Amino acid sequence: RARTQAAMDDYFAGEERGGYVLVGMGVAGLLAGGWLYRAGSPVARGAAYPLLGVGVLHLAAGVVIQVSSARRVDKFTRQIDSDPAGFVRDERVRMRGVAKQFTALEIAEVVLIAGGLGAAGFGWKTDRPRWQGAGLTLALEAACTLGFDVLAARRAHDYRTALDGVSVSATIDGGATSGAVIGYGGRF
């Protein structure tokens, strides 16, 4: 139990830190976007739009991660205390889904980087400065988010590896006395 609890606590501590990072990215994007929009040049105004849009998304995602992580730690701690085998089984399944979500996010972010660079190139070729600013900023925001998600996916992978190293079993002792023997072990 202690190892499972420690692995879960470590993972969700990282999630909470990640939530703070996303909130910071969101606030920075909103402030920079507002400043660039007020700067008034066509390139700056174009750059403001992705900063403002992605800033709202980062801020919202950071808040959701903070709230959901705190709730999960409480719920999962109770589950580890009452049914460690059930927790490990359920959490392995949940984390496989998380891995798939990270893969989808990373693909989308690479597409946004390429799309942003394409939009910036289009803007330069057709003398549309707002496209230049919007495209470069979209590519930059997507690249920063990709870096964040690569690190978060690595943390999730490490957690999955820790869960895979946990062996939880229950057996019934067929001896003269009735009762159950529960074995619990793992590699960390």
Side-chain angles (χ1 to χ4, degrees), residues 23-107:
V23 166
M25 289 170 70
V27 169
L30 291 170
L31 291 173
W35 180 77
L36 286 171
Y37 188 83
R38 289 181 48 111
S41 78
V43 172
R45 284 214 168 159
Y49 302 130
L51 285 168
L52 293 168
V54 176
V56 168
L57 294 175
H58 281 152
L59 182 60
V63 170
V64 167
I65 287 171
Q66 284 290 314
V67 171
S68 66
S69 292
R71 288 182 181 164
R72 284 186 176 138
V73 167
D74 293 340
K75 175 185 172 189
F76 291 167
T77 296
R78 286 190 302 275
Q79 190 177 2
I80 290 168
D81 288 342
S82 65
D83 182 12
F87 169 77
V88 170
R89 181 191 64 243
D90 295 347
E91 190 66 346
R92 284 176 178 159
V93 170
R94 188 184 78 80
M95 290 306 295
R96 278 194 295 274
V98 168
K100 290 177 184 176
Q101 289 173 348
F102 275 121
T103 300
L105 284 171
E106 291 165 356
I107 290 168

Side-chain angles (χ1 to χ4, degrees), residues 135-158:
L136 284 176
T137 305
L138 178 61
L140 179 63
E141 281 279 11
C144 290
T145 306
L146 176 61
F148 174 86
D149 283 341
V150 165
L151 294 175
R154 181 66 198 171
R155 187 174 58 253
H157 173 75
D158 291 347

